[in-house]
Amino acid sequence: MTDITWNGASGDWTEADDWTPAQVPASGDNATIAGTGTISVILGGGETAAVSGILLDNTNATLEIDGLLNAETISLDAGTLANDGTIADATLVLDGGTLSSGYGLYQGDTIVGPMEIGGSDTAVVQQGLTVLAADGTSPGTVTVDGDYATLEFNDSETFDNATVVLGSAAGIDMLDTEGTLTL
């Protein structure tokens, strides 16, 4: 297992020169995006990354997922994780950072901390979703509140350990399922 740190400027996740040591994080590695500068790290559409862990700890940083990200743990201490692709089989720990869904697929994930789907974001769930409170054990909360904010479940899904709050924004907030939803 190697600890690999983003080394500064904005760029593509798959560029080895943007990491220290100069290698793209791979299965078993821990990736850290920290510091104080304004940066954007993008996992592009059609790209896949698989890592053990990710720590996002820079208020001015955005990690944008347009492709497929497999990670055991993603810790959002600061900054924004923008999911416009797929995050699979991960535990996302929301501890000060922001999770933005755009049109993001959550595939067999666990969210620790309050999940908020706002604006016109759509969070799509496939292969179940578990949401826990910040303590990691109590039931969590998903708030769907924004102009056309949507929580969508593909096929027959299980939504474990959570309360869903449909907000009061001017638009239409939606909870949508294409099969049986087990709560």
Side-chain angles (χ1 to χ4, degrees):
M1 178 186 316
T2 302
D3 291 328
I4 302 173
T5 303
W6 187 260
N7 64 24
S10 294
D12 191 285
W13 177 280
T14 62
E15 293 295 323
D17 290 342
D18 289 335
W19 296 97
T20 301
Q23 66 188 55
V24 176
S27 182
D29 293 337
N30 291 312
T32 299
I33 301 169
T36 57
T38 300
I39 59 171
S40 179
V41 180
I42 299 171
L43 179 65
E47 296 177 346
T48 299
V51 296
S52 180
I54 296 173
L55 170 62
L56 183 59
D57 193 14
N58 174 345
T59 302
N60 300 309
T62 298
L63 173 56
E64 181 178 328
I65 308 302
D66 295 327
L68 170 61
L69 175 63
N70 287 83
E72 292 175 28
T73 303
I74 302 171
S75 297
L76 297 176
D77 289 0
T80 300
L81 174 61
N83 183 18
D84 289 309
T86 301
I87 299 175
D89 303 317
T91 296
L92 290 88
V93 180
L94 310 180
D95 191 23
T98 300
L99 177 62
S100 168
S101 293
Y103 190 87
L105 175 63
Y106 298 88
Q107 195 171 54
D109 295 319
T110 297
I111 308 289
V112 179
M115 182 179 189
E116 297 181 10
I117 303 164
S120 60
D121 287 355
T122 296
V124 181
V125 175
Q126 193 172 53
Q127 299 177 2
L129 178 69
T130 300
V131 181
L132 302 171
D135 65 10
T137 58
S138 303
T141 301
V142 177
T143 301
V144 183
D145 189 12
D147 292 337
Y148 300 98
T150 304
L151 176 59
E152 179 180 320
F153 294 87
N154 285 343
D155 305 319
S156 293
E157 299 293 340
T158 300
F159 189 45
D160 288 337
N161 218 20
T163 298
V164 177
V165 178
L166 295 177
S168 59
I172 300 170
D173 303 317
M174 293 184 278
L175 178 63
D176 181 28
T177 185
E178 296 178 14
T180 302
L181 178 60
T182 304
L183 301 174

